[in-house]
Amino acid sequence: MAITQTPVTPQPQLIPTNLGARSFAAPPVALQQHIVPNELFFVRNHWKGTPGLEPATYRLSVEGEVERPFSVSFADMLQLPRKVLQVTFECCGNGPVPSYWDKQIRLNNVEKVTGHGIMGNAEWAGVPLVVLLERAGVKASAVQVVFTGADHGPDEVAGAPQEVTYERALPLAKALHPDTLLAYEMNGAPLPALHGFPLRLLVPGWYGMTSIKWLVGIRVIDHVFKGFYQTDRYMVQNGPGAQEFYTYLTEMKVKSIITNPAPGEVILPGQPYRMAGAAWSGEREIVRVEVSTDGGQTWQPAQMMPRIDYSWYRWEYLWTPPAAGKYVLMSRATNNQGETQPVEFPNQWDGHPYGNNMIFPHPVTVRAC
Ligand SMILES: Nc1nc2c(c(=O)[nH]1)N[C@H]1C(S)=C(S)[C@@H](COP(=O)(O)O)O[C@H]1N2
Ligand SMILES: [Mo]
């Protein structure tokens, strides 16, 4: 199968987040909806463009520590058992940089709220991965399952001249989980090119980098995978004295965001305003979302809507701002393990913003218009 990088222009509403036009954040209006429409769903690509995979020639191979290696066509995939799941995921780099907020709040002229757009919730349809793994017959020697994307190139940060392929592994238990999907549909439409057409892995509850797009290979291995995007990215450096040097991110940490008010929205004094947002915690349940309208001094419970499958929970809070002025709104989620969001971003030893789940200040100005 010939693989060429096809230039693709994302929807103009998406916000470019880095040089080289590889990644795009969802605008605030996208995160206000329970289901983020495909054209507003964030895009995070390691290289520009998309591998131009053709469904007619597409094959997905299953090999390695299996009894019966095989490959399937795209048409065959569509005949296999189908599962539909709502799944929320965020890129582990999602979130404003704390120093940015410190500065804005210190300057006290905060109005612009950005930085949560590299996440979304969609309804995905596909084949449970376990169906293919059972057909192949995983050997007792299996330890992990490696997923290979069709995209490759020099790494964007390391700038290494050699080609690296986008590949990552899952532990066997997560690979065999009945909800780990090989998705070919997103919100009822064929998977868009930018989101991995024709087929992507979808790992519910885990950070986005595990959900390999343009999936062409599945390889069961008898050891721990040490590929570049497994060991050199998406980990946080632990503090001095820690037992482990790095913590590798897997399941999404407990987190919440405020989506209403949006940046620049006018809020009137003395009138009830419906604050809203989202909360999630990997595969776990959220048991509580609280809201502060005074920069974290006092907290009130928000009203939570139930989640669907692995979607985020939506929440609301009716707030009547007492008077005109500047307010710092905050939300704080707690999961069923008693884990809650930290006041400050904990893991910043190496300056990487990965896995930031702090309580984010959401500044707003209340004024009569
Ligand atoms: N093949 C491939 N899969 C990939 C990536 C990539 O660059 N190549 N990016 C990963 C990252 S870091 C994220 S956050 C999600 C983003 O998925 P989306 O672009 O569909 O929103 O895809 C993941 N899967
Ligand atoms: Mo990501």
Side-chain angles (χ1 to χ4, degrees):
M1 177 169 45
I3 295 170
T4 49
Q5 294 287 117
T6 312
V8 172
T9 314
Q11 297 295 318
Q13 304 98 307
L14 292 177
I15 304 161
T17 59
N18 59 14
L19 293 174
R22 296 179 311 256
S23 297
F24 299 84
V29 66
L31 302 186
Q32 294 179 345
Q33 306 167 61
H34 178 68
I35 295 275
V36 176
N38 288 357
E39 63 278 11
L40 295 184
F41 203 96
F42 85 96
V43 176
R44 170 71 179 104
N45 290 345
H46 287 77
W47 299 282
K48 209 170 168 170
T50 67
L53 298 178
E54 293 293 337
T57 50
Y58 174 85
R59 291 202 81 83
L60 171 65
S61 60
V62 184
E63 55 191 28
E65 300 295 307
V66 294
E67 306 290 347
R68 300 168 294 276
F70 67 93
S71 74
V72 281
S73 68
F74 188 60
D76 286 344
M77 284 300 294
L78 299 178
Q79 300 306 315
L80 293 173
R82 171 186 164 98
K83 194 166 206 171
V84 181
L85 286 176
Q86 273 194 28
V87 175
T88 289
F89 64 80
E90 62 171 334
C91 177
C92 63
N94 190 31
V97 181
S99 57
Y100 166 86
W101 282 108
D102 292 349
K103 198 168 156 217
Q104 294 299 305
I105 288 161
R106 240 183 300 116
L107 294 176
N108 202 29
N109 61 351
V110 277
E111 200 107 47
K112 205 167 178 304
V113 180
T114 56
H116 291 293
I118 36 179
M119 73 167 313
N121 178 53
E123 186 185 83
W124 311 84
V127 181
L129 169 63
V130 66
V131 171
L132 270 67
L133 291 177
E134 275 174 1
R135 178 163 153 191
V138 174
K139 289 186 181 168
S141 51
V143 173
Q144 289 193 330
V145 184
V146 181
F147 302 88
T148 307
D151 52 335
H152 51 84
D155 175 66
E156 57 191 353
V157 179
Q162 81 275 23
E163 295 268 307
V164 220
T165 293
Y166 197 78
E167 274 191 323
R168 286 182 56 93
L170 284 181
L172 200 56
K174 189 64 177 166
L176 293 172
H177 191 287
D179 291 336
T180 298
L181 282 194
L182 302 171
Y184 49 71
E185 267 179 35
M186 182 178 181
N187 293 330
L191 200 61
L194 285 161
H195 299 290
F197 181 83
L199 195 78
R200 82 179 297 168
L201 178 66
L202 194 71
V203 187
W206 286 34
Y207 285 109
M209 71 286 187
T210 51
S211 289
I212 313 292
K213 305 193 274 192
W214 311 293
L215 184 69
V216 288
I218 297 175
R219 195 165 78 248
V220 181
I221 58 172
D222 62 2
H223 55 276
V224 172
F225 182 61
K226 297 263 194 254
F228 183 85
Y229 288 102
Q230 192 79 41
T231 56
D232 281 48
R233 285 289 175 279
Y234 308 126
M235 70 288 200
V236 287
Q237 193 177 316
N238 295 317
Q243 291 238 311
E244 294 288 328
F245 194 70
Y246 289 126
T247 298
Y248 287 91
L249 295 170
T250 55
E251 193 179 350
M252 292 185 290
K253 295 194 226 168
V254 60
K255 188 162 169 180
S256 66
I257 55 170
I258 296 172
T259 59
N260 306 68
E265 192 174 327
V266 174
I267 304 212
L268 303 171
Q271 308 240 353
Y273 177 84
R274 195 180 57 85
M275 275 177 69
W280 63 94
S281 181
E283 295 153 74
R284 296 175 200 282
E285 282 170 34
I286 295 289
V287 292
R288 192 162 60 247
V289 176
E290 296 155 294
V291 165
S292 174
T293 57
D294 56 12
Q297 292 171 56
T298 61
W299 294 87
Q300 292 79 36
Q303 211 195 333
M304 264 170 54
M305 271 56 87
R307 67 169 160 177
I308 300 164
D309 309 322
Y310 297 87
S311 80
W312 49 25
Y313 294 73
R314 303 302 303 193
W315 60 261
E316 286 182 8
Y317 177 75
L318 211 57
W319 176 45
T320 305
K326 288 181 188 297
Y327 295 80
V328 176
L329 311 179
M330 292 177 171
S331 68
R332 177 172 72 187
T334 304
N335 71 15
N336 60 358
Q337 309 289 300
E339 293 164 340
T340 192
Q341 297 178 247
V343 174
E344 279 175 28
F345 180 29
N347 294 96
Q348 266 198 107
W349 295 97
D350 57 358
H352 279 144
Y354 297 142
N356 185 359
N357 68 333
M358 65 183 269
I359 297 169
F360 298 97
H362 190 91
V364 4
T365 301
V366 172
R367 58 162 179 263
C369 52

